[in-house]
Amino acid sequence: MSVEITRLAVTPKNPNKYATEFDDGEKMTLDAALVADHGLYTGRVLDGGEYEALKKDAGLHAARARAMRILGRRQMSRREITERLIQKGENEETSHSVADWLVKIGAVNDVEYAASIVRHYGGGGYGLMRIRDELYRRGIEHELWDAALSGIPDMEEAAYKALTAKLRGKRPDRDELGRVTAGLYRRGFSWDEIKAAAERYKSEEMDTDE
């Protein structure tokens, strides 16, 4: 089944976009590059194969533009952007294709993203368990974890800094110390790291007049 382009005009708000109408009632807003690639003009008749190819390319272009808008808000992994596109209504084939394209042009880089996650949480007073949880939650492939975690700070030192920031030189009673150490565990520190931090705090930070 062939279709004819009944209208092809530059949109008022964007000279790189073309409002396109077809005699079957279909309407599309197409990029100038897409118009050029497909050789489109008013009165052009597209056969069935050409029409389907145009619709597929138009959908892909729109999905790429959507992905770039999403990435403009925050960095994402390949898995995250794929899942977000599917949530926004793109089909799986298009979403994976767009994700591949984003990786190819460098807009998505899981190696750099993993390193930034480690820097952010490692420098923000979180322990190894929490950092690993974040890498998993954000869709970083497991084979990238070791390289990213090589830049992690010393966890015993990090636990000690987190503890001192909470206690601020106070001499906590048993209940308060229990609440603080439980909080450190929720932030991803191991009990061994927390115990070492508590012992160090007692010896270095608490006033001992005895």
Side-chain angles (χ1 to χ4, degrees):
M1 171 182 162
S2 61
V3 296
E4 181 180 346
I5 299 174
T6 57
R7 180 173 179 266
L8 183 69
V10 175
T11 61
K13 293 183 179 180
N14 190 338
N16 291 315
K17 298 284 187 180
Y18 284 77
T20 312
E21 299 178 8
F22 301 84
D23 64 1
D24 66 349
E26 182 77 38
K27 296 180 180 181
M28 301 181 192
T29 299
L30 304 175
D31 292 339
L34 203 57
V35 171
D37 289 345
H38 285 263
L40 306 181
Y41 53 86
T42 301
R44 165 88 189 275
V45 176
L46 305 177
D47 64 30
E50 291 173 324
Y51 190 36
E52 289 304 314
L54 175 61
K55 288 195 287 187
K56 183 176 181 180
D57 284 355
L60 185 60
H61 275 242
R64 286 178 174 180
R66 168 176 273 171
M68 294 302 288
R69 289 194 298 272
I70 293 170
L71 290 173
R73 293 189 283 272
R74 74 170 181 87
Q75 194 175 6
M76 286 186 169
S77 68
R78 187 191 185 287
R79 194 188 80 183
E80 282 182 309
I81 190 63
T82 302
E83 291 176 349
R84 182 63 63 84
L85 289 171
I86 292 172
Q87 290 170 2
K88 292 291 186 179
E90 304 293 346
N91 63 50
E92 288 194 20
E93 180 183 358
T94 298
S95 299
H96 284 287
S97 176
V98 170
D100 289 341
W101 173 73
L102 292 168
V103 170
K104 182 178 180 180
I105 67 172
V108 167
N109 186 319
D110 282 5
V111 173
E112 292 181 0
Y113 186 36
S116 72
I117 292 169
V118 172
R119 285 195 302 271
H120 175 76
Y121 285 92
Y126 290 91
L128 182 59
M129 289 185 290
R130 175 62 182 274
I131 296 170
R132 285 175 171 164
D133 284 347
E134 288 298 325
L135 291 172
Y136 175 79
R137 187 174 71 84
R138 295 170 186 270
I140 303 299
E141 295 293 334
H142 198 273
E143 56 264 27
L144 302 180
W145 288 18
D146 285 346
L149 291 169
S150 66
I152 200 170
D154 179 83
M155 284 292 99
E156 286 195 5
E157 182 67 24
Y160 175 69
K161 288 181 178 179
L163 185 72
T164 56
K166 290 288 185 181
L167 294 177
R168 299 181 180 181
K170 294 188 297 183
R171 185 189 296 271
D173 60 25
R174 186 170 185 170
D175 288 342
E176 184 177 9
L177 184 60
R179 288 193 296 271
V180 171
T181 55
L184 292 183
Y185 184 75
R186 289 193 296 273
R187 292 177 75 87
F189 293 102
S190 71
W191 284 118
D192 285 343
E193 291 161 350
I194 295 168
K195 181 179 178 181
E199 291 298 326
R200 180 177 169 188
Y201 182 83
K202 290 175 184 178
S203 65
E204 294 185 13
E205 299 293 333
M206 291 171 58
D207 294 329
T208 55
D209 296 327
E210 298 85 8

